[in-house]
Amino acid sequence: MKITDAVLLEIKDSVALITIENPPVNALSHNVRFGVKKAIELVMADESVSSIVIYCSGRTFCAGADIKEFGAPMQEPVHSQLHDLMDSVNKPIIAGIHGTALGGGLELALSCHYRVAISTAKLGLPEVQLGILPGAGGTQRLPRLVGPKKALDMVVSGMPIGAKEALDYGLIDKLVDSDLLAAVMLFAREKGVSNNDHIRVRDRDEKLRLVEQSIFSDARKVISRRARGFTAPEYNIRCIEAAVHKPFDEGISIESDLVMELMKGDQARAQQYFFFAERQASKIEGLSKGTKHRPIFKVGVIGGGLMGGGISMNMANVNIPVTMIETSEKALEQGLKTIRNNYESTASKGRISFDIAKQRYELIKGSLDLGDLNDCDLIIEAVFEEMSVKKDIFSRLDSILKQDAILASNTSALNLNEIASATTRPQSVIGLHFFSPANVMKLLEVVRGEKTSDDVIATCMSFAKRINKVPVLVGVCPGFVGNRILHYRQIQANQLALEGVPIEQIDRVLYEFGFPMGPFQMGDLAGLDLGWKADSSNSSDIRDRLCELGRFGQKSGNGFYDYEGRMPIHSDIVSEVIKDCGRLQGIERRDSSDNEILDRCLLPMINEGAKILEEGIASRASDIDVVYVYGYGWPRYRGGPMHYANCLGLKKVIAKLQHYRENTGDDFWTPCQFLVDLADSQSLFT
Ligand code: CAA
């Protein structure tokens, strides 16, 4: 029987089977909640029914509340009304779980008396990643099954666990390897006729009594390191504390108050916006769904330095063989050694086994001969940023590579169209801009040249996901999206320093905003000598002067800061250099407030982001935000620069830009026309 367009009810041999059909991920939209509640009400009093199964069709169990419904008042029945009803049913209810049971989906399963899962299933409460907490009883029921310590781990990290682990912790009652539906129906039939008491999860308090109080202070220590600035993790901890210290109903009431408070906050709004921004980024407008992908079985990487090595590891990590090219035996040996050390260090930290480390390492073969790339499907060039060198490599590759091979450059700033012009197949040339360290950073700027063909773009966007990257498609311009915008922040950070603002203050303000580090510490980490040439060094430029002193950043032990290990320490030498550069440039010294520092660093990023949209270099404002969160540590709870601008209000952004324009007389601050037009039409960045 169809209860709603998303819920079916069938009675099979005394078992009521409620099937949710709400593709793609069976989110608990209104028609699902309504349908499940109605179906349960129908069978509660039916004496021919002895047990109830909740099952989902399609690729997964419920992936949680329907996030698209957030922001508007939730239509009844709300999740808790459905769960209260389930708690009142005197027949066993069993969830059959495959795919992912996440958030409200797992909470639905927690309100069942039993859970049967297939061995590939994953179960988790990821709400913290959306800036909220599991507000449908999850924080109260989960610790009753898995114990408060494991529950804390799960809600604070938001990471799901596998079905086997779930069984070990008591989160599920039975694990099956195949035919879940048949197994869960059989399980339900047995429970339906057994004389056992079917204890509700809310009544199972035994694991709550075995708690060491230090778990809460330990969890707080962890979030102060790993989730600095985020509000939701602390609220999740408070809910688990309530589960331990308060009766169930009081815990539920605390959970409900705290989730309402989080829901109203800016962080939840930003994190939920970002959930969709990230998914939107992989969609390419104007590309037909039927665009064929080129097969990629083997990858070539040219350059075995830090970048080339990191790129190669991405492939090996997902079992793709790599040929890595270097120009000398010594460089090749060094490159391979670094990769091996990286894998061994990961294995010694217990993150992968030594066997897997070895398997991955062995997938990377070194060579000194470009000719060895003749069987590769994708070649990624990662040599130093010199146009003539890149063009030479690309023209040589032309005669070596297979006809349908994709030629990618990892350039971070050079003109991809010019690189492509060195080949007879510019349609097969694309930019794949990895971020350092390439085996760690998630962002991949996929740079579309003016002749890059659709199938190459489509292949690279999906290949990026295969190697666990978050791809964003961008157009050709100096620095593409990320570095181009960063350049404008750096101009102001330098200007502030030249005016006499201590670099420590500038770094602190940006750190407190939520970046992992400020611009000067970031410069030291990246290396100040990148692109620096001694013969054209300028004595009034801070960075050039530091390089002249051999202060190249962390790698040389000093840069903008001195270093004790990785700890930055103030340097009087640097203060003097900056003062001298300011004097040589005729810059008047003045103090700046923290607010001014923040405005002067962030507003130019927003203005440049608007220009990038105006020029079509990025197709959506949310793509710029994805670049910034994944590539540059913009705090996710602030959504990204364009979302931040929307929250400030575009008129306010323009007013601030104009304020600095008037104060300085510098065109740098002129608001871009696109931004002005958006504000005039009361629109927002989209
Ligand atoms: N609500 C609405 N839409 C959702 C959704 C949700 N909970 N979860 C996924 N979707 C949508 C995605 O936006 C995407 O839509 P488009 O195809 O239009 O882009 C589609 O479903 C497929 O999602 P993915 O591209 O992410 O597919 P995947 O296979 O890579 O991953 C997934 C599937 C693991 C379920 C992943 O989508 C995911 O993690 N979803 C979010 C899970 C989550 O956070 N749940 C908690 C929700 S909050 C909650 O439940 C509160 C509560 O207490 C009641």
Side-chain angles (χ1 to χ4, degrees):
M1 185 199 319
K2 212 168 175 160
I3 306 287
T4 64
D5 56 357
V7 177
L8 292 175
L9 170 66
E10 296 159 89
I11 315 279
K12 292 185 171 177
D13 202 7
S14 82
V15 179
L17 171 63
I18 300 173
T19 306
I20 299 171
E21 271 185 4
N22 189 26
V25 295
N26 291 313
L28 291 158
S29 322
H30 175 251
N31 55 353
V32 174
R33 297 191 305 275
F34 180 81
V36 174
K37 181 162 179 280
K38 187 92 201 271
I40 293 176
E41 282 164 349
L42 281 174
V43 297
M44 267 171 91
D46 184 337
E47 285 187 0
S48 71
V49 171
S50 57
S51 57
I52 302 169
V53 165
I54 298 182
Y55 182 75
C56 290
S57 67
R59 68 199 233 208
T60 179
F61 193 75
C62 304
D66 185 342
I67 304 167
K68 293 197 185 87
E69 287 183 357
F70 289 0
M74 189 169 273
Q75 273 182 279
E76 296 199 352
V78 298
H79 298 263
S80 59
Q81 289 170 324
L82 174 58
H83 296 183
D84 288 346
L85 175 73
M86 291 166 75
D87 273 342
S88 73
V89 175
N90 59 0
K91 305 171 190 208
I93 311 179
I94 301 100
I97 299 171
H98 68 294
T100 42
L102 298 178
L106 179 56
E107 296 177 274
L108 180 70
L110 286 168
S111 288
C112 295
H113 299 87
Y114 304 100
R115 287 143 296 280
V116 176
I118 194 140
S119 47
T120 50
K122 291 206 159 108
L123 303 91
L125 293 176
E127 282 88 340
V128 72
Q129 289 164 4
L130 298 169
I132 53 173
L133 53 84
T139 63
Q140 304 307 298
R141 289 190 178 87
L142 184 68
R144 285 175 160 78
L145 286 184
V146 303
K149 186 167 188 312
K150 186 65 185 171
L152 265 178
D153 284 352
M154 288 177 70
V155 297
V156 168
S157 72
M159 295 308 287
I161 59 173
K164 169 75 179 62
E165 194 179 352
L167 181 70
D168 293 344
Y169 275 99
L171 178 51
I172 60 173
D173 303 279
K174 188 174 170 67
L175 190 64
V176 296
D177 287 325
S178 61
D179 208 348
L180 172 69
L181 184 56
V184 70
M185 291 299 278
L186 179 63
F187 186 92
R189 217 163 286 132
E190 287 167 6
K191 291 293 174 194
V193 296
S194 79
N195 291 324
N196 295 350
D197 281 343
H198 306 293
I199 303 171
R200 303 178 300 180
V201 172
R202 57 172 286 154
D203 298 327
R204 296 179 56 179
D205 286 357
E206 62 278 9
K207 288 196 178 169
L208 300 183
R209 292 184 215 120
L210 311 165
V211 184
E212 301 235 4
Q213 287 310 310
S214 59
I215 61 170
F216 298 110
S217 51
D218 290 348
R220 289 196 165 93
K221 267 186 220 143
V222 170
I223 63 167
S224 69
R225 275 200 323 272
R226 294 205 195 136
R228 184 178 60 89
F230 286 85
T231 310
E234 165 61 26
Y235 279 50
N236 274 274
I237 296 176
R238 283 188 210 163
C239 286
I240 305 290
E241 272 176 329
V244 171
H245 298 302
K246 311 274 182 195
F248 182 82
D249 287 326
E250 220 178 298
I252 286 282
S253 154
I254 290 172
E255 181 195 84
S256 157
D257 289 349
L258 292 181
V259 77
M260 290 311 291
E261 199 182 318
L262 285 175
M263 269 291 189
K264 286 189 215 136
D266 292 343
Q267 293 206 355
R269 190 151 59 112
Q271 287 174 249
Q272 287 157 23
Y273 154 82
F274 195 75
F275 173 86
F276 290 112
E278 190 179 339
R279 280 155 182 85
Q280 193 69 10
S282 56
K283 300 192 175 96
I284 313 155
E285 268 157 34
L287 215 66
S288 81
K289 275 207 159 173
T291 306
K292 279 207 165 146
H293 289 206
R294 300 190 188 182
I296 296 181
F297 297 110
K298 190 166 183 195
V299 173
V301 175
I302 306 174
L306 277 185
M307 209 61 196
I311 294 172
S312 302
M313 289 175 74
N314 284 296
M315 316 301 155
N317 291 348
V318 294
N319 226 7
I320 301 174
V322 182
T323 302
M324 191 175 89
I325 306 288
E326 254 303 348
T327 45
S328 74
E329 199 67 66
K330 192 169 164 225
L332 187 59
E333 217 172 273
Q334 182 55 46
L336 290 170
K337 189 170 151 208
T338 306
I339 293 173
R340 194 174 56 228
N341 290 346
N342 278 341
Y343 276 129
E344 279 172 3
S345 140
T346 312
S348 57
K349 287 178 194 144
R351 295 203 194 123
I352 52 173
S353 69
F354 280 95
D355 277 352
I356 298 228
K358 183 164 177 282
Q359 272 168 31
R360 290 185 184 174
Y361 170 69
E362 286 176 353
L363 278 169
I364 302 171
K365 300 268 177 277
S367 167
L368 299 176
D369 180 5
L370 272 188
D372 284 345
L373 299 178
N374 61 359
D375 60 347
C376 292
D377 306 295
L378 165 69
I379 291 85
I380 304 170
E381 162 277 308
V383 303
F384 55 94
E385 292 284 79
E386 187 68 60
M387 180 58 87
S388 58
V389 178
K390 296 204 188 247
K391 281 172 89 170
D392 175 55
I393 290 175
F394 272 69
S395 71
R396 280 159 65 203
L397 286 174
D398 227 3
S399 58
I400 296 167
L401 300 184
K402 294 200 288 195
Q403 204 39 52
D404 61 350
I406 295 176
L407 288 79
S409 173
N410 176 50
T411 180
S412 58
L414 297 179
N415 186 330
L416 184 79
N417 297 329
E418 193 178 337
I419 299 176
S421 72
T423 74
T424 58
R425 38 176 136 168
Q427 72 282 1
S428 294
V429 176
I430 196 162
L432 292 181
H433 179 208
F434 289 79
F435 286 69
S436 184
N439 52 321
V440 176
M441 297 291 287
K442 298 281 281 178
L443 179 65
L444 185 68
E445 279 186 327
V446 177
V447 189
R448 157 192 237 155
E450 63 189 10
K451 296 197 174 144
T452 312
S453 67
D454 282 358
D455 65 332
V456 168
I457 293 171
T459 305
C460 288
M461 292 296 284
S462 70
F463 182 73
K465 289 192 159 181
R466 203 170 139 203
I467 58 169
N468 296 314
K469 297 288 171 198
V470 176
V472 179
L473 186 64
V474 302
V476 176
C477 68
F480 310 123
V481 168
N483 283 342
R484 172 169 161 183
I485 291 179
L486 193 69
H487 177 65
Y488 287 82
R489 185 182 85 173
Q490 196 60 45
I491 290 177
Q492 276 310 304
N494 282 346
Q495 182 67 20
L496 283 158
L498 290 166
E499 288 169 15
V501 182
I503 58 169
E504 288 84 353
Q505 186 185 354
I506 302 167
D507 277 348
R508 175 184 53 76
V509 168
L510 287 160
Y511 177 79
E512 285 172 1
F513 178 78
F515 284 101
M517 64 190 86
F520 298 102
Q521 281 187 30
M522 186 173 160
D524 277 354
L525 186 67
L528 301 182
D529 56 334
L530 271 180
W532 174 70
K533 291 192 179 116
D535 45 7
S536 56
S537 190
N538 174 352
S539 59
S540 64
D541 180 280
I542 307 172
R543 186 195 71 152
D544 286 9
R545 281 281 291 278
L546 296 182
C547 286
E548 285 167 21
L549 293 171
R551 301 182 70 105
F552 296 142
Q554 271 198 33
K555 61 182 167 190
S556 64
N558 54 26
F560 282 106
Y561 296 90
D562 291 337
Y563 284 90
E564 260 173 28
R566 285 191 183 173
M567 166 93 82
I569 294 167
H570 171 83
S571 158
D572 286 340
I573 299 174
V574 173
S575 296
E576 280 310 310
V577 166
I578 294 175
K579 200 168 170 186
D580 197 42
C581 290
R583 186 184 54 76
L584 288 169
Q585 292 186 37
I587 293 171
E588 206 175 304
R589 287 174 79 78
R590 57 188 284 276
D591 289 335
S592 289
S593 69
D594 287 0
N595 280 343
E596 180 181 340
I597 293 171
L598 199 59
D599 276 352
R600 284 179 55 185
C601 287
L602 300 189
L603 294 170
M605 299 174 81
I606 296 168
N607 202 25
E608 201 56 27
K611 286 184 201 158
I612 281 174
L613 289 171
E614 186 173 47
E615 293 165 21
I617 296 294
S619 6
R620 314 172 187 96
S622 57
D623 287 1
I624 298 178
D625 288 338
V626 174
V627 166
Y628 258 80
V629 169
Y630 275 113
Y632 297 84
W634 185 288
R636 186 184 286 242
Y637 59 79
R638 294 190 197 273
M642 311 318 277
H643 176 80
Y644 180 71
N646 283 343
C647 293
L648 279 179
L650 300 190
K651 288 218 154 112
K652 193 165 169 193
V653 170
I654 291 174
K656 281 173 179 259
L657 286 165
Q658 277 164 345
H659 162 81
Y660 289 111
R661 167 88 184 73
E662 276 155 28
N663 273 9
T664 59
D666 188 346
D667 270 346
F668 176 91
W669 293 104
T670 306
C672 126
Q673 193 55 44
F674 181 71
L675 171 57
V676 174
D677 292 345
L678 273 187
D680 284 349
S681 61
Q682 315 279 349
S683 306
L684 293 172
F685 287 122
T686 51

